[in-house]
């Protein structure tokens, strides 16, 4: 006799669709009341449209009734959370669908393992059990075949093996023979009868009276109502699932979950498997991320390299210098002069590290039979420090040379090449306006042009010699000033102005703040670098949008797969984690490839003399942005997938 507590009990269950958008509601189930005890073999029979499939969905907790009561092992289903329903589907039910509903990207063994994956069973154990079930059903040689490589009967047996994976205490079979030939159908029915005999509760949905006749109890349904309930046998096999104590077991099972590491590992494995099946689409999706990350790395490297190169050029001319030049900056101002007596006044100003008189003029040079015009700079021995310019050969003149009006010079690279070609000029003599001077050094190449002059086309000599023996004048071209602290340059300009104006009794000079100009140039260069980075980041954003579009399309294409996973016990967070992991995996692989492509592209550009400086911060930032792109743009598709209704998902094409 049946146990006193039914395993499944429906009381006046109704299910209606529609009626929410102004359309009339359609009643599919109209007050179903029935009880099913553990160990029963029940056939629910009815014509197409009678409501039997809807009843199966409600029995299997894939759908909820619009009205009425559903109790499972005495527990009210309406009070169950989404996780509790998922656990119930995973642990208590096993679904066998007419259309098989196997996941096309998985082989037979992996399809059978799906319920155990969501149960958190270790890999080795679940694989052994899945293999044993397939062997039991005669599919030991088909474990590595995908659904498309199996016949209909074989696919249905894989579906039965999957239903048994977590125990399959209640087998819900929806038209299990409807898509099979007679022989395959007979084999499937024999399997279901064997399962019923071994204690499984089997609920068979069919429209075929001959199939229904093989069950011990036949419930006939028409127009959403039960019109007959015939029990052919009162003898029940010892049930595998007893209602008593089930509530405590369910509460314990829902509370227990696999570790985050296990869930993440399974999601990564599933994502990688999916990529392997859709290689071309995955490659196209990756391309946007690869281009975005590589662009950010290369653009920022070019910007940083260019900025460093400009800074290096600027350093040749000094980044902490000022120039005091004669003449007012007003349109009708005085011409003004600067003399050697002004230099000590400048040196007294706070934050001035050094000050040097500077006299510039044009001369004619002769070496042997070669004549050349050149610019001379008459400076003091402070020049290497103030101008940040050292001789590349020989030595600079000394303070003794300055006092003695020594006839010694240092040649710029271009002057030396015009006068001596590739020969060494050290120790040789040149005529400067017909005055013989000995070459004691060659200045380092600056390779830059300032204004209308080339700094590599100059001759440098002691200030005393240049002003008195060559140019014949002592009024200065300007005073070069070296600062201690660049950040205090504005205060220094004011102090210099006050000092010189007090001495001259008029403002007949100007102060050119090279440090401020260089700082402005560096700020401009940084802005350009940032702009390059932002332009490159746009491509990364476009790649992220591509990820979202692909994931949205993937969710739509894999809607039935989502329904299958939910039917086998996947929780909403399992679905969301899986699709979010796929999006992050695309970004992770694309980001890694983008870093490699970016570095390789940068290496090639370095070979073409493009200034490049790779920044670890930029590389890590671009990679992190790629991951963030996967999270941000993958979240909406993942959430959409998790919120799908299981019944709607299973019924999609």
């Amino acid at each position: 006799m049946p146990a006193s507590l039914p395993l499944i009990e429906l009381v006046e269950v109704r299910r209606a669709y529609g009626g929410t958008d102004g359309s009339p509601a359609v009643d599919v189930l109209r007050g179903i009341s029935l009880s099913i005890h553990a160990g029963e073999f029940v056939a629910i029979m009815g014509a197409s449209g009678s409501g039997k499939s809807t009843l199966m969905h409600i029995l299997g907790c894939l759908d909820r009734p619009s009205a009425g009561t559903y109790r499972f092992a005495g527990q009210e289903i309406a009070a169950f959370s989404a996780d509790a329903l998922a656990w119930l589907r995973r642990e208590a039910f096993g679904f066998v669908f007419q259309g098989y509903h196997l996941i096309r990207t998985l082989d037979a063994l992996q399809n059978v393992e799906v319920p155990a994956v969501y149960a958190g069973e270790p890999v080795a154990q679940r694989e052994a059990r899945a293999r044993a079930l397939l062997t039991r059903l005669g599919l030991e040689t088909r474990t590595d075949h995908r659904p498309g490589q199996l016949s209909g009967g074989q696919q249905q047996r894989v579906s039965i093996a999957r239903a048994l994976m977590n125990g399959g205490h209640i087998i819900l079979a929806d038209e299990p023979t409807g898509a099979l030939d007679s022989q395959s159908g007979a084999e499937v029915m024999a399997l279901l009868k064997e399962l019923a005999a071994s204690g499984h509760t089997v609920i068979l949905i069919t429209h075929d009276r001959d199939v229904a006749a093989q069950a011990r109890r036949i419930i006939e349904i028409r127009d959403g109502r039960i019109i007959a309930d015939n029990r052919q046998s009162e003898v029940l096999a010892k049930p595998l699932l007893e209602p008593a104590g089930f509530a405590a077991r369910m509460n314990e099972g829902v509370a227990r979950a696999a570790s985050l590491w296990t869930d993440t590992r399974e999601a990564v494995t599933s994502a990688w498997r999916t990529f392997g099946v859709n290689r071309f689409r995955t490659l196209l999706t990756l391309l946007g991320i690869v281009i975005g990350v590589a662009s950010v790395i290369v653009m920022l490297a070019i910007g940083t390299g260019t900025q460093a190169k400009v800074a290096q050029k600027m350093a040749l001319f000094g980044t902490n210098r000022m120039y005091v030049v004669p003449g007012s900056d007003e349109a009708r101002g005085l011409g003004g002069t600067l003399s050697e007596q002004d230099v000590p006044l400048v040196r007294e100003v706070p934050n001035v590290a050094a000050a040097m008189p500077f006299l510039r003029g044009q001369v004619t040079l002769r070496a042997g039979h070669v004549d050349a015009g050149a610019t001379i700079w008459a400076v003091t021995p402070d020049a290497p420090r103030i101008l940040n310019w050292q001789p590349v050969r020989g030595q600079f003149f000394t303070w003794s040379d300055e006092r003695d009006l020594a006839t010694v010079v240092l040649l710029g690279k271009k002057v030396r090449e015009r006068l001596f070609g590739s020969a060494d000029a050290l120790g040789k003599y040149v005529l400067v306006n017909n005055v013989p001077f000995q070459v004691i050094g060659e200045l380092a190449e600056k390779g830059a042009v300032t204004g209308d002059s080339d700094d590599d086309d100059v001759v440098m000599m002691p200030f005393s010699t240049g002003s008195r023996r060559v140019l014949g004048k002592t009024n200065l071209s300007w005073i070069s000033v070296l600062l201690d602290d660049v950040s205090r340059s504005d205060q220094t300009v004011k102090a210099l102005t006050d000092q010189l104006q007090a001495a001259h009794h008029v403002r007949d000079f100007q102060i050119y703040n090279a440090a401020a100009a260089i700082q402005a140039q560096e700020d401009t260069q940084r802005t350009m670098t940032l702009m390059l980075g932002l332009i490159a980041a746009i491509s990364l954003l476009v790649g992220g949008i591509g990820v979202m579009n692909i994931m949205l399309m993937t969710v739509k294409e894999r809607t039935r797969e989502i329904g299958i996973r939910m039917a086998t016990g996947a929780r909403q967070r399992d679905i969301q984690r899986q699709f979010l992991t796929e999006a992050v995996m695309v970004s992770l692989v694309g980001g890694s490839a983008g870093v490699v492509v970016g570095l390789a592209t940068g290496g090639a550009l370095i070979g073409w003399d493009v200034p490049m400086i790779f920044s670890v911060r930029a590389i890590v930032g671009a990679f992190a942005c790629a991951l963030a792109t996967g999270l941000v743009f993958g979240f909406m598709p993942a959430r959409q997938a998790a919120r799908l209704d299981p019944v709607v998902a299973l019924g999609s094409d």
Side-chain angles (χ1 to χ4, degrees):
M1 293 296 293
S4 58
L5 180 63
L7 183 61
I8 292 174
E9 184 179 10
L10 303 184
V11 180
E12 287 297 316
V13 166
R14 297 177 177 273
R15 185 66 173 101
Y17 296 99
T20 58
D21 56 354
S23 60
V26 178
D27 292 324
V28 179
L29 299 182
R30 306 178 182 184
I32 298 290
S33 296
L34 65 88
S35 297
I36 299 175
H37 291 77
E40 282 197 89
F41 184 5
V42 180
I44 298 177
M45 188 182 70
S48 178
S50 62
K52 59 185 186 299
S53 292
T54 300
L55 179 58
M56 187 202 78
H57 293 151
I58 290 176
L59 290 173
C61 299
L62 294 171
D63 198 5
R64 290 180 182 263
S66 303
T69 302
Y70 177 15
R71 298 188 187 93
F72 187 92
Q75 304 296 310
E76 179 67 57
I77 289 294
F80 284 14
S81 65
D83 283 355
L85 291 175
W87 181 89
L88 193 60
R89 290 193 295 267
R90 183 173 67 241
E91 299 294 331
F93 292 101
F95 294 91
V96 180
F97 299 101
Q98 177 181 1
Y100 322 129
H101 285 352
L102 300 178
I103 300 174
R104 63 181 183 82
T105 58
L106 306 181
D107 60 31
L109 186 68
Q110 293 162 348
N111 265 285
V112 175
E113 287 183 56
V114 169
V117 169
Y118 296 119
E121 189 172 340
V123 176
Q125 294 181 22
R126 74 176 187 236
E127 183 177 336
R129 176 166 173 75
R131 200 174 295 278
L133 285 170
L134 289 172
T135 300
R136 174 184 170 188
L137 297 178
L139 296 173
E140 63 273 10
T141 61
R142 295 289 188 270
T143 57
D144 59 346
H145 286 55
R146 289 202 176 98
Q149 299 169 308
L150 301 172
S151 67
Q154 290 171 336
Q155 290 186 62
Q156 195 63 289
R157 277 184 280 169
V158 172
S159 178
I160 293 173
R162 182 182 62 193
L164 297 173
M165 185 63 192
N166 285 352
H169 306 298
I170 304 170
I171 302 295
L172 281 167
D174 186 13
E175 299 282 7
T177 63
L180 303 178
D181 57 68
S182 56
Q183 180 178 349
S184 297
E187 291 175 354
V188 168
M189 285 306 303
L191 281 173
L192 294 176
K193 291 172 69 175
E194 179 184 338
L195 293 173
S198 61
H200 293 270
T201 302
V202 179
I203 302 175
L204 176 66
I205 309 297
T206 183
H207 69 281
D208 191 329
R209 191 169 295 277
D210 292 336
V211 171
Q214 301 182 56
R216 302 192 190 104
R217 178 183 174 190
I218 302 175
I219 298 173
E220 191 169 350
I221 186 171
R222 181 186 301 164
D223 296 330
R225 294 187 176 91
I226 293 177
I227 61 172
D229 187 349
N230 300 316
R231 196 183 303 274
Q232 298 181 4
S233 172
E234 294 290 339
V235 179
L236 300 181
K238 179 176 175 54
L240 296 178
L241 177 63
E242 292 286 359
F246 180 79
R249 179 185 166 196
M250 184 188 71
N251 291 335
E252 179 185 354
V254 173
R256 187 179 67 252
S259 67
L260 179 61
W261 162 247
T262 300
D263 286 341
T264 303
R265 182 189 61 198
E266 294 297 343
V268 170
T269 302
S270 177
W272 194 255
R273 189 182 296 126
T274 301
F275 295 159
V277 174
N278 300 304
R279 292 185 182 89
F280 185 69
R281 178 188 296 174
T282 301
L283 180 62
L284 291 178
T285 308
L286 287 174
L287 196 57
I289 300 295
V290 171
I291 293 174
V293 172
S295 298
V296 170
I297 292 173
V298 172
M299 289 293 192
L300 289 179
I302 291 175
T304 306
T306 304
Q307 183 176 342
K309 189 171 183 179
V310 170
Q312 184 181 17
K313 295 284 187 183
M314 290 291 185
L316 293 175
F317 303 101
T319 58
N320 56 343
R321 291 213 309 265
M322 290 183 180
Y323 303 95
V324 182
V325 297
S328 174
D329 57 356
E330 298 177 1
R332 301 176 64 181
L334 300 173
T337 59
L338 291 173
S339 67
E340 293 181 67
Q341 287 73 33
D342 291 320
V343 177
L345 296 176
V346 173
R347 292 195 185 108
E348 294 174 1
V349 173
N351 196 41
V352 172
M356 177 183 72
F358 198 108
L359 187 57
R360 176 183 173 189
Q362 297 295 319
V363 296
T364 301
L365 304 176
R366 170 173 289 185
H369 300 289
V370 179
D371 290 339
T375 301
I376 69 161
W377 288 4
V379 294
T380 70
D382 282 330
R385 176 188 175 197
I386 294 177
L387 302 181
N388 190 29
W389 201 1
Q390 301 292 335
V392 70
R393 294 186 185 87
Q395 62 184 8
F396 210 81
F397 46 81
T398 65
W399 286 105
S400 176
D401 294 328
E402 173 68 23
R403 287 191 301 270
D404 298 340
L405 279 72
T407 52
V408 292
V409 293
L410 289 92
L411 304 181
K413 180 182 178 182
K414 292 185 178 178
V415 175
R416 191 266 304 163
E417 289 176 345
R418 289 208 306 273
L419 294 176
F420 298 99
S422 59
D424 187 359
L426 290 182
K428 296 182 179 179
Y429 284 85
V430 297
L431 294 177
V432 180
N433 286 353
N434 294 320
V435 177
F437 278 72
Q438 185 179 22
V439 179
I440 62 171
E442 180 181 336
L443 295 168
E445 181 181 6
K446 282 198 172 183
V449 176
T450 57
D452 58 355
S453 66
D454 189 338
D455 286 355
D456 288 329
D457 195 14
V458 300
V459 176
M460 204 173 287
M461 64 178 59
F463 177 80
S464 60
T465 307
S467 62
R468 291 169 176 81
R469 300 190 61 173
V470 176
L471 298 177
K473 61 180 180 178
T474 57
N475 289 338
L476 308 182
S477 299
W478 61 77
I479 300 173
S480 294
V481 181
L482 181 68
L483 302 182
D484 278 325
D485 186 356
V486 177
S487 64
R488 295 165 54 198
S489 61
D490 290 340
Q491 297 94 313
T492 307
V493 169
K494 185 177 184 306
L496 281 172
T497 301
D498 293 342
Q499 179 87 325
L500 292 176
Q501 191 165 348
H504 291 201
H505 306 293
V506 66
R507 188 168 179 176
D508 59 348
F509 58 88
Q510 301 177 51
I511 299 176
Y512 174 64
N513 189 350
I518 291 171
Q519 184 63 46
Q521 176 111 11
E522 290 178 349
D523 291 342
T524 302
Q525 193 63 41
R526 276 193 294 269
T527 302
M528 292 298 294
T529 300
L530 178 61
M531 187 172 67
L532 286 174
L534 290 176
I535 292 172
I538 291 174
S539 62
L540 186 57
L541 179 64
V542 172
I545 294 173
V547 170
M548 182 173 66
N549 288 338
I550 290 296
M551 292 306 300
L552 285 171
M553 185 169 62
T554 299
V555 169
K556 185 175 181 180
E557 289 182 349
R558 295 166 60 190
T559 300
R560 176 172 291 183
E561 176 189 332
I562 295 169
I564 295 169
R565 291 183 181 276
M566 288 181 168
T568 54
R571 299 160 297 183
Q572 287 186 345
R573 64 175 175 267
D574 293 325
I575 300 297
Q576 181 166 311
R577 182 187 298 113
Q578 178 182 339
F579 281 86
L580 194 57
T581 300
E582 290 182 13
V584 171
M585 283 284 288
V586 169
S587 299
L588 180 64
V589 175
S592 301
V595 170
V596 173
V597 171
L599 293 175
T601 303
L605 292 175
I606 290 174
W608 294 337
D609 294 329
V610 176
M612 302 279 293
I613 294 181
F614 291 107
S615 167
V616 174
R617 181 181 298 178
I619 294 172
V620 173
F623 185 76
C625 285
L627 287 183
T629 296
L631 282 170
V632 172
F633 289 97
F635 179 76
M636 188 178 75
R639 189 178 185 186
Q640 178 180 327
R643 291 187 171 186
L644 286 174
D645 186 280
V647 173
V648 175
L650 282 169
S652 66
D653 295 329

